[in-house]
Amino acid sequence: MTRIEIGQISGIGRSMFVVCLVAGAIVTAGTHHPAGIIAGALLGLYLMFALKVVQQWEKVAVLRLGRYVGLRGPGLFHIVPIVETLSPYVDQRVRVANVSAESTLTRDTVPVNVDAIVFWMVWNAEKSILEVENFIEAINMSAQTALRESIGRHELAQMITERETLGRELQRILDEKTNPWGITVQSVEIRDVKIPQGLEDAMSRQAQAERERQARIILGQAEKEISNSFVQAAAAYAENPVALHLRAMNMLYEAIKEKGSMVIVPSSAVETMGLGGTLATASLGGAKAQ
């Protein structure tokens, strides 16, 4: 908030009042005449209201009989009480404004609550004092209005996934509006976008269904690739029966090489592929291993 400094007494002003009052009291004690303390009090009162101090990050405008005469600060300066007055002190540091838009409809008619942070600063204290009555309130109201307008121009998906773009758009709109006031908007950050709970649940179910659809598509693609591999293998085995027999023997070997395993093979397969001798050999080998 701006601080109204008109008539504010500075610390050095109070100190000078005390010094003048003490000096007047000393003079009165030495001369035994009240003029010393009266003069010291009057001078102290004048200095107390005439001496002002502005902080390093502040500026203040001096008005002489209501007319602007210039800026003062930072540091110590002097005014003529009653004749000259001060405007509100202007803080030129970077400041933060929190703005929010509640239940604002997006372009696709979805009510959302949006919270944003506006970083701004006064670059020309003279304009901010003379061009706008209360620039802090003006910044807050302008930011809130611009946020609502921007929400209405974007769809919900854009607001959720393109927050940086929305922030840059708001920064540009606000900067164009506030530059004539001597204020610049450095950046706008979208802090949060809230949607109704029912819509959030529906979007969650939609995302889950989409993931399941993708999983089924991937599984179907895998089945297609496997079937193509089987077709190619069948064509190769049809042209070379010996390769098929060797593959069958390898499968049997893999099945019976583990200790204690038992494999039941149809007799037709044994006769067709001539596996009788092979199985006997494998059995004898297993018996010797024990």
Side-chain angles (χ1 to χ4, degrees), residues 55-120:
Q55 302 298 330
Q56 178 65 38
W57 53 87
E58 292 178 328
K59 291 286 187 180
V60 64
V62 177
L63 304 175
R64 182 175 300 150
L65 298 177
R67 184 183 294 275
Y68 172 75
V69 295
L71 292 175
R72 298 293 185 271
L76 178 68
F77 66 97
H78 169 271
I79 66 171
V80 179
I82 302 176
V83 176
E84 295 180 340
T85 57
L86 301 180
S87 71
Y89 282 34
V90 177
D91 192 329
Q92 292 193 292
R93 294 175 294 183
V94 176
R95 290 193 251 183
V96 180
N98 295 322
V99 294
S100 62
E102 297 181 358
S103 301
T104 305
L105 292 178
T106 62
R107 187 176 180 181
D108 48 352
T109 65
V110 178
V112 294
N113 297 339
V114 180
D115 293 330
I117 303 176
V118 180
F119 295 90
W120 61 278

Side-chain angles (χ1 to χ4, degrees), residues 151-209:
I151 291 172
R153 291 194 298 266
H154 292 79
E155 296 183 355
L156 177 62
Q158 292 177 313
M159 297 190 59
I160 294 176
T161 59
E162 301 177 6
R163 294 188 181 185
E164 294 184 359
T165 303
L166 180 60
R168 286 194 296 268
E169 179 182 350
L170 286 172
Q171 186 268 336
R172 177 183 56 80
I173 295 172
L174 289 174
D175 200 41
E176 291 177 357
K177 185 179 296 184
T178 59
N179 252 310
W181 305 341
I183 298 171
T184 181
V185 177
Q186 294 186 331
S187 65
V188 179
E189 297 181 3
I190 304 300
R191 185 167 56 179
D192 192 15
V193 178
K194 296 180 181 179
I195 61 178
Q197 186 63 39
L199 180 59
E200 186 176 350
D201 295 339
M203 292 177 65
S204 177
R205 291 194 298 270
Q206 179 183 3
Q208 183 177 0

Side-chain angles (χ1 to χ4, degrees), residues 122-168:
V122 177
W123 63 272
N124 190 321
E126 179 179 341
K127 287 186 176 182
S128 66
I129 294 171
L130 302 179
E131 299 294 335
V132 61
E133 178 184 3
N134 189 332
F135 59 84
I136 295 181
E137 184 177 358
I139 282 288
N140 291 332
M141 298 300 292
S142 298
Q144 190 171 16
T145 302
L147 179 60
R148 289 181 176 274
E149 292 178 354
S150 183
I151 291 172
R153 291 194 298 266
H154 292 79
E155 296 183 355
L156 177 62
Q158 292 177 313
M159 297 190 59
I160 294 176
T161 59
E162 301 177 6
R163 294 188 181 185
E164 294 184 359
T165 303
L166 180 60
R168 286 194 296 268

Side-chain angles (χ1 to χ4, degrees), residues 35-53:
I37 194 170
I38 293 174
L42 292 175
L43 179 60
L45 286 172
Y46 174 82
L47 294 177
M48 184 170 61
F49 289 101
L51 296 179
K52 302 295 181 181
V53 177

Side-chain angles (χ1 to χ4, degrees), residues 245-264:
H245 293 171
L246 292 175
R247 176 59 179 161
M249 293 172 63
N250 183 70
M251 292 171 61
L252 286 174
Y253 171 74
E254 293 292 336
I256 65 177
K257 71 178 182 179
E258 296 293 335
K259 183 179 180 180
S261 62
M262 180 178 65
V263 179
I264 300 176

